[in-house]
Amino acid sequence: MAEQQKSAAAWVNEGDAAFRAQNHEAALDHYESALQVDEGHEAALLKRNTCLHVLSRFEEALVAAEETLRHHPRSSAAWVQKGATLGALDQLAASLYCFQEALQHDPENSQAMFFKAMAEEGIGLLEEARESYQAFLDAAHPSLEGQIRHAHDRISQL
């Protein structure tokens, strides 16, 4: 298949393979190629944000998260990504707002619950953080083992 004829989904699949191989720069290039084919492709937008975050390119990740939200304003995952990026930039109040927004769109988003608790703790809202960690524990899938341990540890220390 000629590269210019590839679908956005095909580019995303190649990006996913590169990401699994921990070749994040190549994955980013593939997700960017997907967006040249379809600028609003949600998976490509979200995965590009993830790559930028993993590469610690937080300013670019923030711009990318805002672009994702322009295309998909109700995407809970996009709000979580923007919040995580703002947290990495030490903008905890703004990140908390994003996690709250994510939960408005998907009240059962355990990632949003977890990161909301972390932002609340960072801001000093300790009782709210304790409650948010508990909400996360009540909703968390067992595959989130590391975050579950962290939430248990934080509740016992708050």
Side-chain angles (χ1 to χ4, degrees):
M1 178 185 299
E3 287 194 6
Q4 60 268 41
Q5 295 176 355
K6 281 186 189 175
S7 68
W11 282 113
V12 168
N13 288 338
E14 288 185 22
D16 292 348
F19 192 89
R20 282 190 301 276
Q22 297 191 13
N23 188 345
H24 301 117
E25 288 288 349
L28 180 60
D29 289 342
H30 291 303
Y31 300 138
E32 291 285 355
S33 293
L35 294 169
Q36 289 176 7
V37 175
D38 177 358
E39 69 181 25
H41 193 280
E42 187 171 11
L45 288 163
L46 291 168
K47 291 175 180 197
R48 175 184 63 179
N49 295 358
T50 299
C51 280
L52 290 167
H53 198 93
V54 167
L55 293 166
S56 299
R57 292 165 51 181
F58 301 121
E59 294 293 339
E60 290 174 74
L62 182 57
V63 171
E66 290 168 349
E67 180 183 348
T68 303
L69 285 167
R70 277 193 301 279
H71 287 281
H72 304 282
R74 294 172 146 343
S75 171
S76 181
W79 282 105
V80 169
Q81 285 185 333
K82 182 177 180 183
T85 300
L86 286 165
L89 293 168
D90 205 30
Q91 297 178 30
L92 297 180
S95 74
L96 176 58
Y97 169 81
C98 293
F99 301 131
Q100 291 167 331
E101 192 67 28
L103 290 166
Q104 288 295 314
H105 298 292
D106 180 4
E108 297 179 14
N109 184 321
S110 59
Q111 293 290 331
M113 290 177 201
F114 180 78
F115 289 119
K116 176 179 175 273
M118 290 182 67
E120 289 167 337
E121 183 179 359
I123 293 170
L125 302 172
L126 302 184
E127 186 58 37
E128 292 87 342
R130 187 178 297 110
E131 290 171 12
S132 294
Y133 280 126
Q134 188 59 57
F136 164 75
L137 289 172
D138 293 343
H141 188 275
S143 66
L144 300 174
E145 182 180 328
Q147 290 175 323
I148 290 170
R149 269 195 313 277
H150 179 84
H152 278 298
D153 290 345
R154 297 312 305 146
I155 287 173
S156 68
Q157 294 176 15
L158 293 177

